[in-house]
Amino acid sequence: DTGVSQDPRHKITKRGQNVTFRCDPISEHNRLYWYRQTLGQGPEFLTYFQNEAQLEKSRLLSDRFSAERPKGSFSTLEIQRTEQGDSAMYLCASSLFRTSGTHLYEQYFGPGTRLTVT
Amino acid sequence: SQQGEEDPQALSIQEGENATMNCSYKTSINNLQWYRQNSGRGLVHLILIRSNEREKHSGRLRVTLDTSKKSSSLLITASRAADTASYFCATSMGSNYKLTFGKGTLLTVNP
């Protein structure tokens, strides 16, 4: 399977604990995005990387959230001191950004990690 | 914050009928995309229309874009039970190409 994968698919944690999610993008894709989706809403942008550089962070991403993409391949999203309001589906997507030629705008999403904070 | 708003929020039709969903957005865009999400799962890209295009087709899908009204519509013809899902429009602008989604339309196709 050459699609975007995310691990774990489900995570239940107690309030105050730290959690870390992993995303493996499509191998040739240089851009990686994180989104958060709550019940009944569309996904909301959190942050994105081009290669290993984190280029933008949403104001939704509080200081408790940190994301990395150390070698420009997989990415991790860590939430420290989780709160009940962090309960959501965390989606990762990847795309191929071309600096020349026709850009491909489509993003390919992983299955998501569903986080439940009790 | 959500950029787009889909209308209707929910739509129930019989298999074989056409389904039309609308999306409105607020700011200028590079392109508008439609995604499908089956219950509790990831999103699947359906179709993209660029800001200088007015209509696009892909199989049973037809998308229109009216930039003067900041609106788009997605038509699914000859619907099937397997089309049951939530459908989201997403806009993209700027060089970051991040997507801004609406709240989605829940489509139910009854066999």
Side-chain angles (χ1 to χ4, degrees):
Chain A
D1 189 339
T2 57
V4 178
S5 61
Q6 292 186 246
D7 183 67
R9 296 289 306 276
H10 302 274
K11 178 71 177 179
I12 300 173
T13 191
K14 292 184 177 179
R15 185 164 51 95
Q17 297 295 305
N18 299 344
V19 294
T20 300
F21 311 140
R22 176 180 171 124
C23 170
D24 286 88
I26 294 172
S27 59
E28 63 267 27
H29 284 183
N30 52 6
R31 283 203 170 176
L32 186 149
Y33 299 80
W34 285 99
Y35 295 85
R36 180 172 69 187
Q37 184 179 25
T38 54
L39 198 61
Q41 302 292 317
E44 292 185 292
F45 168 79
L46 293 179
T47 187
Y48 89 101
F49 294 83
Q50 181 161 315
N51 300 313
E52 66 277 5
Q54 187 174 20
L55 297 186
E56 185 173 340
K57 294 191 292 186
S58 164
R59 57 183 171 79
L60 293 175
L61 216 63
S62 76
D63 291 344
R64 297 184 297 104
F65 288 70
S66 62
E68 295 182 340
R69 195 183 183 197
K71 297 182 180 179
S73 57
F74 73 92
S75 175
T76 58
L77 177 67
E78 181 184 16
I79 309 174
Q80 296 182 328
R81 305 180 303 282
T82 52
E83 302 173 356
Q84 287 188 323
D86 297 332
S87 294
M89 175 80 87
Y90 290 83
L91 295 163
C92 172
S94 69
S95 70
L96 178 62
F97 176 73
R98 293 176 172 167
T99 55
S100 63
T102 303
H103 177 64
L104 303 176
Y105 295 99
E106 293 87 343
Q107 294 186 17
Y108 295 84
F109 282 79
T113 295
R114 183 171 296 283
L115 172 67
T116 303
V117 182
T118 62
Chain B
S1 62
Q2 308 285 157
Q3 155 84 306
E5 292 289 338
E6 284 90 342
D7 171 56
Q9 292 187 350
L11 179 61
S12 182
I13 59 174
Q14 296 300 121
E15 209 165 24
E17 294 180 340
N18 296 342
T20 299
M21 289 160 268
N22 302 296
C23 167
S24 60
Y25 58 92
K26 298 175 183 175
T27 65
S28 61
I29 59 173
N30 291 332
N31 64 78
L32 186 144
Q33 305 177 41
W34 285 89
Y35 286 80
R36 183 185 73 218
Q37 185 176 39
N38 291 93
S39 179
R41 303 182 69 177
L43 288 94
V44 174
H45 181 267
L46 295 177
I47 193 166
L48 177 150
I49 186 165
R50 298 173 192 271
S51 59
N52 61 354
E53 297 176 316
R54 292 298 166 258
E55 187 171 316
K56 202 161 183 181
H57 297 254
S58 176
R60 294 184 296 112
L61 305 180
R62 172 177 168 257
V63 171
T64 62
L65 179 65
D66 186 336
T67 53
S68 67
K69 295 181 179 179
K70 293 187 170 58
S71 66
S72 173
S73 68
L74 172 68
L75 169 67
I76 304 174
T77 60
S79 63
R80 306 166 182 168
D83 295 328
T84 295
S86 291
Y87 291 81
F88 294 91
C89 69
T91 55
S92 173
M93 60 180 180
S95 61
N96 55 26
Y97 301 121
K98 68 183 182 184
L99 296 175
T100 304
F101 288 84
K103 293 184 179 181
T105 292
L106 176 60
L107 173 66
T108 302
V109 181
N110 302 298

